[in-house]
């Protein structure tokens, strides 16, 4: 029942896009910091997890939101 509402998928899409953008910006900033300071050993796994969750969430929620939007017409 909850998955059939339009706002549920719209909220999921918003959260996923936020994770995607924030993860991408964080990874870019980390790359710049590594390059400028010649850092050799740094753990960026948590940043990749956030970015990956954003990708997965967007791939799942965007088609679902579009499908529910199309069904409401």
């Amino acid at each position: 029942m909850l998955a059939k509402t339009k706002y549920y998928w719209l909220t999921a899409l918003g959260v996923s896009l936020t994770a995607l953008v924030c993860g991408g910006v964080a990874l870019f900033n980390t790359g710049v910091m590594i390059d400028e300071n010649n850092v050799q050993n740094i753990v960026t796994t948590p940043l990749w997890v956030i970015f990956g969750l954003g990708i997965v969430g967007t791939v799942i929620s965007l088609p679902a939101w579009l499908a529910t939007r199309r069904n409401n017409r």
Side-chain angles (χ1 to χ4, degrees):
M1 182 75 178
L2 183 62
K4 292 183 179 182
T5 63
K6 178 172 56 173
Y7 299 113
Y8 173 78
W9 289 112
L10 186 59
T11 303
L13 179 61
V15 170
S16 299
L17 289 175
T18 301
L20 183 65
V21 170
C22 291
V25 169
L27 282 170
F28 176 77
N29 289 336
T30 302
V32 169
M33 188 266 310
I34 290 171
D35 185 46
E36 289 180 352
N37 297 320
N38 295 326
V39 177
Q40 298 298 322
N41 297 326
I42 189 167
V43 178
T44 59
T45 305
L47 300 177
W48 282 106
V49 169
I50 294 171
F51 187 69
L53 287 174
I55 291 174
V56 169
T58 302
V59 167
I60 292 170
S61 63
L62 183 61
W65 175 64
L66 291 174
T68 57
R69 189 171 166 213
R70 190 170 297 139
N71 288 338
N72 288 340
R73 290 183 184 174

